[in-house]
């Protein structure tokens, strides 16, 4: 209890600065899903899901539920191979189950729906370049990182780019929902969103240092990044103990909050 009190005093508790919305729904597998506001997404919504790994359950459910325009970004072998594996299973009409022992999840997407999802083998960074991604060298951990695991002897090199450049290449002037699950690079990418004043309505972000702590200051790195988003006009609407967080731009948040009150 004392630890939780101190965290609240320092503003690093997982519920610090949260202004909750009531009408949120969970999408994705038990381990890799996120909360999304009700009555927010539709068939014209543009969703960027950055970081696939070996679980694209959330990404596919955006397509299934909302018929949204979904773009998945991941330059790693894990992400590319898993996307192709799901595609093969879906095209053969065979159910694919994730995490069979701990928290089973079955992909339910149709081949037509899956064919409308675009996979782009590029990562997010603050510039266009080829970057080293280090292998975690852990059993059952399927994510390389440009920031974490730098002590690893094994790495891959893969293309990365600034989000604003990718949006221009895809002819998008806005993003309705951006999911960032990129193993420590989220701080740098959040900075670019703010610097470039990108038109992003909602941001889902997993702060990975919770799982892969580099030093004891990670709580304050997370806090600084979240404070930057709030200062840039985003409202923290949901947070888990594991620091998976939902930020919504204030004008959109106010609309959602008003609809809750009027419901």
């Amino acid at each position: 209890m004392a630890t939780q009190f101190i965290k609240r005093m320092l503003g690093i508790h997982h519920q610090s600065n949260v202004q909750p919305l009531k009408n949120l729904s969970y999408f994705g597998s038990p381990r890799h899903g996120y909360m999304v506001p009700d009555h927010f997404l539709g068939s014209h919504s543009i969703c960027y899901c950055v970081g696939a790994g070996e679980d694209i359950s959330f990404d596919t459910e955006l397509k299934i539920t909302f018929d949204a325009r979904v773009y998945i970004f991941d330059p790693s072998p894990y992400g590319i191979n898993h996307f192709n594996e799901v595609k093969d299973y879906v095209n053969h009409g065979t159910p694919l189950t994730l995490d069979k022992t701990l928290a089973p999840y079955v992909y339910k997407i149709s081949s037509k729906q899956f064919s409308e999802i675009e996979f782009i083998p590029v990562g997010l960074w603050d510039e266009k370049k080829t970057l080293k991604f280090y292998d975690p060298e852990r059993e059952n951990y399927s994510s390389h990182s440009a920031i974490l695991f730098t002590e690893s002897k094994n790495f891959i090199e893969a293309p990365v780019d600034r989000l604003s450049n990718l949006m221009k290449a895809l002819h998008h002037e806005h993003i309705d929902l951006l999911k960032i699950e990129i193993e420590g690079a989220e701080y740098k990418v959040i900075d670019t969103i703010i610097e470039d004043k990108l038109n992003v309505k909602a941001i889902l972000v997993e702060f990975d240092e919770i799982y892969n702590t580099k030093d004891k200051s990670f709580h304050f790195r997370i806090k600084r990044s979240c404070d930057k988003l709030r200062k840039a006009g985003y409202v923290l609407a949901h947070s888990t103990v594991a620091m998976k967080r939902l930020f919504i731009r204030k004008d959109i948040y106010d609309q959602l909050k008003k609809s809750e009150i009027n419901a």
Side-chain angles (χ1 to χ4, degrees):
M1 293 294 289
T3 302
Q4 298 304 312
F5 175 75
I6 292 169
K7 284 184 175 181
R8 287 184 183 276
M9 290 292 291
L10 294 173
I12 59 174
H13 190 273
H14 71 279
Q15 288 300 309
S16 294
N17 299 308
V18 174
Q19 298 181 46
L21 287 173
K22 293 179 182 177
N23 299 330
L24 299 174
S25 297
Y26 186 87
F27 297 95
S29 67
R31 294 178 62 192
H32 289 278
Y34 290 87
M35 300 294 283
V36 175
D38 296 345
H39 314 297
F40 172 56
L41 297 175
S43 59
H44 297 291
S45 299
I46 297 170
C47 301
Y48 281 23
C49 297
V50 186
E54 292 183 332
D55 188 324
I56 55 171
S57 56
F58 174 78
D59 318 21
T60 58
E61 287 196 13
L62 294 179
K63 186 65 189 177
I64 295 167
T65 307
F66 305 106
D67 193 27
R69 297 162 62 189
V70 178
Y71 299 81
I72 300 175
F73 300 80
D74 195 323
S76 74
Y78 291 120
I80 294 167
N81 291 341
H82 184 65
F83 183 85
N84 289 330
E85 179 187 26
V86 177
K87 180 166 68 174
D88 287 343
Y89 270 80
V90 167
N91 288 343
H92 286 91
T94 308
L96 175 61
T97 304
L98 296 174
D99 215 351
K100 295 180 182 179
T101 53
L102 294 176
Y105 175 89
V106 180
Y107 284 106
K108 300 181 177 68
I109 192 167
S110 70
S111 58
K112 180 181 182 300
Q113 290 169 328
F114 198 85
S115 69
E116 294 171 356
I117 294 175
E118 186 169 345
F119 186 92
I120 300 162
V122 176
L124 281 192
W125 198 243
D126 61 352
E127 62 177 325
K128 184 174 184 178
K129 63 184 294 185
T130 298
L131 193 65
K132 287 182 179 179
F133 286 83
Y134 296 91
D135 194 305
E137 297 183 331
R138 288 188 208 161
E139 189 176 352
N140 299 322
Y141 198 92
S142 58
S143 297
H144 288 76
S145 174
I147 300 293
L148 309 172
F149 323 130
T150 53
E151 73 286 351
S152 173
K153 297 175 184 177
N154 298 314
F155 62 85
I156 61 167
E157 293 187 326
V160 293
D161 206 344
R162 198 172 177 100
L163 180 58
S164 56
N165 291 339
L166 293 170
M167 289 175 67
K168 287 174 186 173
L170 291 166
H171 308 292
H172 294 152
E173 295 183 354
H174 80 279
I175 300 171
D176 292 285
L177 183 68
L178 171 65
K179 182 199 83 172
I180 311 172
E181 196 167 320
I182 51 178
E183 309 299 321
E186 56 271 10
Y187 306 117
K188 190 180 290 287
V189 171
I190 285 170
D191 285 348
T192 69
I193 293 169
I194 297 168
E195 289 166 7
D196 296 342
K197 296 182 171 65
L198 298 183
N199 185 353
V200 182
K201 296 179 182 177
I203 300 170
L204 289 163
V205 55
E206 179 181 73
F207 288 96
D208 285 286
E209 280 196 281
I210 287 288
Y211 305 105
N212 302 288
T213 307
K214 296 186 74 173
D215 56 54
K216 294 181 179 180
S217 300
F218 74 95
H219 280 298
F220 297 99
R221 284 193 287 275
I222 293 171
K223 182 181 184 298
R224 281 195 297 272
S225 192
C226 293
D227 287 347
K228 287 179 183 178
L229 279 171
R230 293 193 304 113
K231 187 176 180 181
Y234 285 87
V235 178
L236 176 55
H238 183 265
S239 177
T240 69
V241 175
M243 289 294 183
K244 295 179 77 165
R245 304 193 127 181
L246 166 64
F247 289 90
I248 304 173
R249 205 175 62 203
K250 191 174 186 306
D251 60 319
I252 306 298
Y253 176 89
D254 289 343
Q255 291 174 21
L256 293 167
K257 198 71 176 175
K258 184 177 180 181
S259 66
E260 279 188 358
I261 295 169
N262 295 334

